[in-house]
Amino acid sequence: MDGAGGPGEGPAQEALQSLSRRLQVQEKEMELVKAALAEALRLLRLQAPPTSLQDSGRIAPPRDSPAAPPGLPPSCSPSVVSRGTQTETEVETEPSPGTPGLSNGPPAPQGSSEEPSGTQSEGGGSSSSGTGSPGGIGSPSILRLVQTPQRADSVRRNSSSSPSERPRQKLSRKAASSANLLLRSGSTESRGGKDPLSSPGGPGSRRSNYNLEGISVKMFLRGRPITMYIPSGIRSLEELPSGPPPETLSLDWVYGYRGRDSRSNLFVLRSGEVVYFIACVVVLYRPGGGPGGPGGGGQRHYRGHTDCVRCLAVHPDGVRVASGQTAGVDKDGKPLQPVVHVWDSETLLKLQEIGLGAFERGVGALAFSVVDQGAFLCVVDDSNEHMLSVWDCSRGAKLAEIKSTNDSVLAVGFSPRDSSCIVTSGKSHVHFWNWSGGVGVPGNGALTRKQGVFGKYKKPKFIPCFVFLPDGDILTGDSEGNILTWGRSLSDSKTPGRGGAKETYGIVAQAHAHEGSIFALCLRRDGTVLSGGGRDRRLVQWGPGLVALQEAEIPEHFGAVRAIAEGPGSELLVGTTKNALLRGDLAQGFSPVIQGHTDELWGLCTHPFQNRFLTCGHDRQLCLWDGESHALAWSIDLKETGLCADFHPSGAVVAVGLNTGRWLVLDTETREIVSDITDGNEQLSVVRYSPDGVYLAIGSHDNMIYIYSVSSDGAKSSRFGRCVGHSSFITHLDWSKDGNFIMSNSGDYEILYWDVAGGCKLLRNRYESRDREWATYTCVLGFHVYGVWPDGSDGTDINSLCRSHNERVVAVADDFCKVHLFQYPCARAKAPSLVYGGHGSHVTSVRFTHDDSHLISLGGKDASIFQWRVLGAGGSGLAPATPSRTPSLSPASSLDV
C-alpha cells in the first residue's frame, strides 16, 4: 500500500481491503451452501411421496427411506440440516425468498466439494445458526436458513470496539430475546403451533414440546447467541435426567479461622469444644491428642447465618452461644439485615433471633450478662453511631438503646458483679455505662455513660481489649503496649463526663507489657491474666500486681495473637492474625490445629490418586492439604499471586499459574521449583495437563492457549505450539480423553475446539466435536451443562464447574455464595439442583477428589475452604439442602440480559 497518503488513509484502506477479502470468502461459502441445499432438495424430492406434502404441509420421508445423507445424524430428517432459534419477528411457515444465509452448522451432505464453514466459535456472538422451516404446500423453498448478524471480528472484553463492529454488536443484541433463550430447533408442526412461553410442562417445558430430532440448542448471554450441538446418541432431551441428583453433600470440614480482621472469635464450651467462626459458619471443634500434639479431632457446624459471622459470645452456662452477622445483599442486590442468633451448641438449634431490623451494617460486639445467669445480651452494631442496646435473651425484646460513639467500638462486656455496669472500649476511648431501671420492661431502660479519663497517662489510639478482675477492677490493653488498671471509686460530681453512676473508674496502675499493640487479654481460672501481643507475638502470663510470671513467643509465620481461650488444665488455645488456631501451653510451646489462607482464593486442584488437594490465592501462599487428616501438609511462599493449578497425572509435580504470566512446576515431595516459564505478561486463568501427561495447556488473559510438551516425570517442558483464535481471555479448558483435543471457553462466551496433536489447529466445523468425550468437564459453557445457568444471568454468575469422575453429577460454584449439585448431563432448562450455603463470599472454585468421595469448594474473599462429603442415595447425615426452584437460585430459561 502506498504510504504517501494522509495520516488516516492507511488504516482505512487496509480495513476496506480486509472487508473485501472477507466478502469474497463469504460469497464462495454461500455458493457452497447453495450447492448443498440443491443436492439436499433433490434427494428429498426423490424420497418423499407426493401425499406427504399435501397431507402434512411439510416434507416427510417414507418409512423405508434410505439413510440420511452423509454428514447428518441418522435420526434426523434432512429437513433439519440447519436448525436454530428464531427471533420473535421471524415466522417459521413463511417461504424464504432470495438466497439463503450461511449456517455454521453440521457438515454439508455429499455432493459438495467442500464443507461449509461459518464463524469460529459456538458462543460469544461469533456463531450463526439457521432455522429450518417448511415453506408453503408444494413450495420448492422448503428449507430456509436464517443467518444471525455476525461481527467482522470478535471483540476482546474491556477493549474499545472499532466503528465497523459497533453496528454488528447492536444487531446481535437486538437479535437476542428472553423468549429465545434455549429454544430447541424444530418445525412448526412439531411445536404444535404453540407459543414457547405458554407451552405446558414440567421442568424444561420450554423445550419439552419442540422437535426432538434437532441438531443444536441455543442460549443467549448478554444478548450473544451460544450454539451447542447435541450429541448423536441423544435422541430426545426428554431422555436426559430431569430431577435433582440422588447424591447429596454433607459439610465434613472447614479449613480456616477468621482472625485477620475480627475479635471475640474464640471460646471454649462446657463440652470442651472450641467454638470459632469463618465465613457464615460457626465451627465447634474438638481437638485431638495432647497439649501441643497433633490435631485430628472432629468438627460440627452451626450454619444458620445468611452472611458472614463477625462476633461470638458464650452464655455463662457454657452451652448457649450468641453469634452476630454482618449485613449483606442477596442475588438481586437487596440488603440483608444483620441479626444475632442465640443457639444451643449441643443440638445446633436456633433458640432466638434477636434484633432483626434493629441493627445497621453488622453486629460488631456481643456480651452476655453474668451475675443473673445470662438473662441479658448487650449488642453494639456497626452503624455510624455504634448503637448500644440491651436485650432480654428469653423473649428477644429490646430493653434499652443509646448512641454509643462515632468512633469504632471493639469490645463490650457486663461486669461479673453487677449487670447494671457495662463497659465498652475501642478507638481512643473507654466508656463505663450504667444501666438503670427497665429490667423486664421493654424500652424503659436508661443507659448513662461515664467516659474514662486518662489524666497523666498517655491516651492511646486504640483500646482493643479489657478484662474484669475478681476484685472488681478492670484491666485494659492498648495500642501502646500498656496494661492499665482501672479501680473503682465513689462518684465525684466534679469528675468530667455525664451520667449518674454511683461508682466510677480511674486509672490506678500502668505496666508496659508488649512492643506494639495488645490484642487480647484472658482471665485464667487461677486468677492470673494472659496478654497477647501484636508486633512482638508474645504471650505473657501476669500475676498479682502485674508481675510477669511466664511467657512464650508465637512463630512469625503464624502472625500476631488475636484471641486467647483457656482449655482443660494448662492447655491454651490461641487464634492468630494469619488465620491459624494454635494449641499448647506456655511451657511446651504451640502447634497449629487449624490453618487457613488470609486473602482471596482462586486456585484449586485435587491429587490424581490421593485425598489431597492444593490451593493458592492472593495471599501468595501455595498450600497442600491432606483431606483425611484435615491438616496442612506444607505451604510455600510464591512471592506472587497464584490463580490456578493442576497436578500432573503422576502426582509427582504440580503446575501453578500466576498473575504475571509466569507459571511454575514444583516437585510435590521436595517442594522445589523444577520449571519457571513466562508466557506473555497477563494473568493466567487455567493450567491443565492432558490425561496422559504428554501436554500441558496454559490459558492466559492474552487470549491464547500455550501448549507445552511434557517429559514423562513432568519435570521438563518445551513449547509445542499456541492455540490462537479466541477474541477474549481464556476462562476454562478441558482435554479430550485421548489427549489430542481441547475444548475452551473465553470471557466473551465463545466455545472453541482445538486439534492439539494436529498442530494446535482450530476446528472450524464444531459439529464434528459433538460426540467427543472429555477427560474432565470444567468448561461452564457446553451442551452437557447449559442447564446450570441461573435465570437472568449476566454470564459471570457461575465461576467454576466440575463434573464428577464417575460422570454422574456436576458441582457448580456461583457468585452468590452457594454450591450447587446437578445431575449430569445437565442439558434441560430449569434443571433442579441441591443448593448448599456456608460461604460468605463468591465461591471461586469446586473440584471433586480422585474417588468422588469429597467435594472441595473455595470461598473468595472469605478465604475459606470447605470439604464436603458426597453421600449417595439413602445416605445418613444429610446436609440441609433444598431443590433449587426460586429465581435467585434456580437454573432457568432466560439468560437474555
Side-chain angles (χ1 to χ4, degrees):
M1 189 176 72
D2 188 4
E9 294 180 2
Q13 187 66 22
E14 291 180 359
L16 289 175
Q17 292 178 355
S18 175
L19 290 174
S20 177
R21 289 193 298 269
R22 187 172 290 109
L23 181 60
Q24 293 175 3
V25 172
Q26 291 182 352
E27 289 176 351
K28 294 179 181 179
E29 292 175 339
M30 291 174 67
E31 292 297 328
L32 293 173
V33 173
K34 289 179 182 178
L37 290 174
E39 178 65 17
L41 293 175
R42 184 183 67 82
L43 293 173
L44 289 174
R45 293 191 189 101
L46 292 176
Q47 297 172 5
T51 56
S52 63
L53 286 175
Q54 298 173 359
D55 296 338
S56 63
R58 61 185 179 94
I59 295 295
R63 294 187 180 184
D64 57 348
S65 61
L72 292 179
S75 63
C76 294
S77 166
S79 64
V80 292
V81 169
S82 179
R83 297 289 175 87
T85 301
Q86 291 184 319
T87 60
E88 292 164 339
T89 59
E90 296 172 342
V91 181
E92 293 190 30
T93 58
E94 175 186 345
S96 60
T99 304
L102 174 67
S103 171
N104 186 19
Q110 289 184 356
S112 62
S113 60
E114 185 178 343
E115 68 176 13
S117 63
T119 54
Q120 298 178 353
S121 67
E122 290 192 32
S126 301
S127 65
S128 63
S129 179
T131 302
S133 63
I137 297 178
S139 171
S141 300
I142 55 177
L143 187 63
R144 182 165 64 96
L145 296 176
V146 179
Q147 181 181 11
T148 56
Q150 301 180 18
R151 296 180 297 168
D153 193 11
S154 298
V155 184
R156 181 180 170 189
R157 179 182 279 190
N158 297 330
S159 63
S160 59
S161 304
S162 63
S164 64
E165 293 168 337
R166 293 188 186 116
R168 300 176 186 272
Q169 294 174 345
K170 188 175 296 183
L171 288 173
S172 177
R173 287 193 296 269
K174 289 182 178 179
S177 169
S178 60
N180 298 311
L181 169 66
L182 294 171
L183 300 185
R184 179 75 182 271
S185 304
S187 66
T188 307
E189 178 79 6
S190 64
R191 297 183 186 182
K194 296 181 180 180
D195 184 271
L197 295 180
S198 61
S199 299
S205 60
R206 296 190 62 180
R207 298 187 305 280
S208 61
N209 60 337
Y210 300 153
N211 193 325
L212 302 181
E213 296 180 348
I215 291 177
S216 66
V217 293
K218 181 179 289 189
M219 61 186 289
F220 288 87
L221 287 176
R222 287 187 177 269
R224 300 186 178 190
I226 303 171
T227 303
M228 295 158 286
Y229 292 103
I230 302 171
S232 60
I234 299 178
R235 304 286 179 173
S236 166
L237 292 184
E238 299 300 325
E239 299 175 357
L240 300 177
S242 60
E247 291 80 2
T248 58
L249 299 180
S250 175
L251 187 56
D252 181 38
W253 197 266
V254 176
Y255 299 84
Y257 150 83
R258 187 166 181 171
R260 180 186 57 174
D261 60 352
S262 66
R263 294 169 175 81
S264 301
N265 56 16
L266 180 64
F267 298 91
V268 177
L269 301 175
R270 186 180 67 183
S271 63
E273 292 175 301
V274 181
V275 58
Y276 60 94
F277 58 82
I278 183 170
C280 305
V281 178
V282 182
V283 181
L284 292 85
Y285 167 66
R286 181 178 295 278
Q299 281 188 356
R300 297 189 299 137
H301 311 96
Y302 176 75
R303 297 171 55 197
H305 287 282
T306 58
D307 215 299
C308 288
V309 182
R310 294 303 307 272
C311 54
L312 289 175
V314 175
H315 194 272
D317 62 12
V319 175
R320 282 175 282 179
V321 178
S323 50
Q325 75 175 50
T326 187
V329 294
D330 63 8
K331 177 182 181 296
D332 301 320
K334 297 179 181 178
L336 297 175
Q337 296 175 329
V339 69
V340 175
H341 287 186
V342 179
W343 46 279
D344 190 310
S345 63
E346 295 178 348
T347 63
L348 299 181
L349 296 178
K350 181 170 63 176
L351 304 176
Q352 192 68 254
E353 190 172 79
I354 292 178
L356 183 64
F359 309 127
E360 293 185 20
R361 297 181 184 170
V363 178
L366 290 169
F368 280 103
S369 60
V370 179
V371 69
D372 44 27
Q373 289 79 44
F376 307 110
L377 181 70
C378 185
V379 183
V380 180
D381 71 7
D382 287 331
S383 63
N384 290 336
E385 296 84 11
H386 295 94
M387 300 298 295
L388 172 68
S389 54
V390 181
W391 299 78
D392 186 321
C393 294
S394 60
R395 295 180 299 144
K398 182 164 47 178
L399 305 179
E401 184 178 36
I402 193 172
K403 294 180 180 179
S404 172
T405 174
N406 289 331
D407 295 323
S408 59
V409 177
L410 304 179
V412 64
F414 281 94
S415 169
R417 300 166 52 140
D418 183 4
S419 294
S420 66
C421 178
I422 302 172
V423 179
T424 60
S425 69
K427 183 179 180 181
S428 302
H429 75 271
V430 177
H431 290 164
F432 303 94
W433 301 87
N434 184 71
W435 176 35
S436 59
V439 177
V441 184
N444 293 335
L447 286 165
T448 55
R449 182 184 69 182
K450 279 278 189 177
Q451 184 167 335
V453 179
F454 290 88
K456 63 179 181 180
Y457 300 98
K458 180 179 179 180
K459 188 175 184 179
K461 292 182 179 180
F462 289 93
I463 304 172
C465 54
F466 64 84
V467 66
F468 288 93
L469 296 179
D471 60 3
D473 290 347
I474 299 173
L475 299 182
T476 60
D478 60 40
S479 55
E480 302 296 325
N482 296 323
I483 297 178
L484 299 178
T485 303
W486 299 76
R488 298 165 66 93
S489 61
L490 295 176
S491 176
D492 186 348
S493 60
K494 297 181 180 180
T495 302
R498 56 190 176 89
K502 298 179 180 178
E503 293 181 328
T504 187
Y505 287 85
I507 300 175
V508 296
Q510 174 181 279
H512 187 69
H514 294 270
E515 296 298 327
S517 182
I518 300 175
F519 285 159
L521 291 172
C522 174
L523 178 66
R524 305 196 69 174
R525 288 184 290 268
D526 60 6
T528 61
V529 174
L530 292 169
S531 64
R535 187 186 308 169
D536 61 8
R537 306 185 314 279
R538 290 166 56 237
L539 198 64
V540 184
Q541 182 179 15
W542 304 90
L546 291 179
V547 176
L549 303 178
Q550 197 175 6
E551 69 176 66
E553 184 173 335
I554 303 299
E556 182 177 2
H557 62 276
F558 292 129
V561 177
R562 174 63 76 191
I564 308 169
E566 189 177 20
S570 62
E571 183 179 288
L572 299 173
L573 282 303
V574 179
T576 72
T577 56
K578 289 191 176 179
N579 293 355
L581 183 60
L582 311 180
R583 179 177 176 228
D585 56 34
L586 296 175
Q588 300 180 16
F590 295 86
S591 61
V593 291
I594 299 292
Q595 291 177 267
H597 284 271
T598 59
D599 209 339
E600 188 169 356
L601 292 175
W602 280 95
L604 170 65
C605 62
T606 54
H607 197 279
F609 50 84
Q610 296 178 0
N611 284 327
R612 291 188 163 198
F613 59 93
L614 187 140
T615 58
C616 57
H618 288 216
D619 61 358
R620 304 182 177 183
Q621 296 295 311
L622 180 69
C623 299
L624 180 67
W625 305 89
D626 190 317
E628 294 183 354
S629 64
H630 306 125
L632 179 65
W634 54 256
S635 67
I636 64 170
D637 188 356
L638 294 173
K639 308 297 183 184
E640 296 177 20
T641 298
L643 297 176
C644 51
D646 193 40
F647 279 99
H648 186 269
S650 68
V653 297
V654 63
V656 183
L658 308 179
N659 67 333
T660 57
R662 179 171 164 241
W663 57 275
L664 312 172
V665 178
L666 296 94
D667 188 300
T668 56
E669 293 297 328
T670 64
R671 312 176 208 173
E672 295 179 355
I673 297 176
V674 296
S675 292
D676 187 342
I677 302 175
T678 300
D679 284 310
N681 56 6
E682 298 195 41
Q683 72 182 47
L684 304 180
S685 52
V686 56
V687 295
R688 184 88 69 239
Y689 283 100
S690 61
D692 54 9
V694 174
Y695 299 111
L696 173 63
I698 312 289
S700 172
H701 270 229
D702 64 6
N703 305 357
M704 297 183 187
I705 302 174
Y706 299 90
I707 307 296
Y708 282 80
S709 296
V710 181
S711 61
S712 59
D713 60 357
K716 296 181 180 180
S717 305
S718 59
R719 173 75 72 85
F720 178 80
R722 295 186 306 171
C723 297
V724 181
H726 272 294
S727 56
S728 185
F729 56 91
I730 313 302
T731 58
H732 307 83
L733 65 85
D734 292 292
W735 286 91
S736 61
K737 289 186 177 180
D738 59 13
N740 294 328
F741 299 91
I742 282 178
M743 170 176 58
S744 57
N745 294 168
S746 63
D748 59 353
Y749 323 125
E750 288 179 321
I751 309 173
L752 298 187
Y753 301 93
W754 311 87
D755 182 358
V756 175
C760 301
K761 296 178 182 178
L762 174 63
L763 299 177
R764 295 182 179 274
N765 192 337
R766 297 168 288 103
Y767 179 76
E768 294 181 347
S769 298
R770 72 193 189 283
D771 290 330
R772 190 159 284 124
E773 294 185 347
W774 303 101
T776 59
Y777 213 119
T778 60
C779 287
V780 298
L781 296 174
F783 171 79
H784 294 82
V785 297
Y786 74 83
V788 307
W789 284 88
D791 198 9
S793 174
D794 66 354
T796 62
D797 294 336
I798 293 179
N799 298 314
S800 178
L801 176 150
C802 183
R803 182 192 67 192
S804 62
H805 296 86
N806 60 20
E807 302 187 12
R808 295 182 56 184
V809 293
V810 172
V812 171
D814 71 15
D815 236 13
F816 312 109
C817 315
K818 298 295 188 295
V819 173
H820 298 251
L821 201 63
F822 295 86
Q823 284 203 69
Y824 179 86
C826 185
R828 301 185 64 172
K830 296 183 179 179
S833 69
L834 300 179
V835 186
Y836 299 88
H839 285 289
S841 177
H842 52 289
V843 186
T844 56
S845 188
V846 286
R847 290 292 182 270
F848 286 95
T849 55
H850 73 100
D851 57 359
D852 293 331
S853 62
H854 292 84
L855 175 73
I856 310 300
S857 62
L858 299 186
K861 292 186 178 298
D862 64 22
S864 64
I865 304 171
F866 286 10
Q867 179 173 309
W868 307 84
R869 185 178 299 277
V870 181
L871 303 174
S876 59
L878 304 185
T882 56
S884 170
R885 293 290 188 186
T886 63
S888 62
L889 298 175
S890 63
S893 52
S894 177
L895 301 175
D896 185 16
V897 180

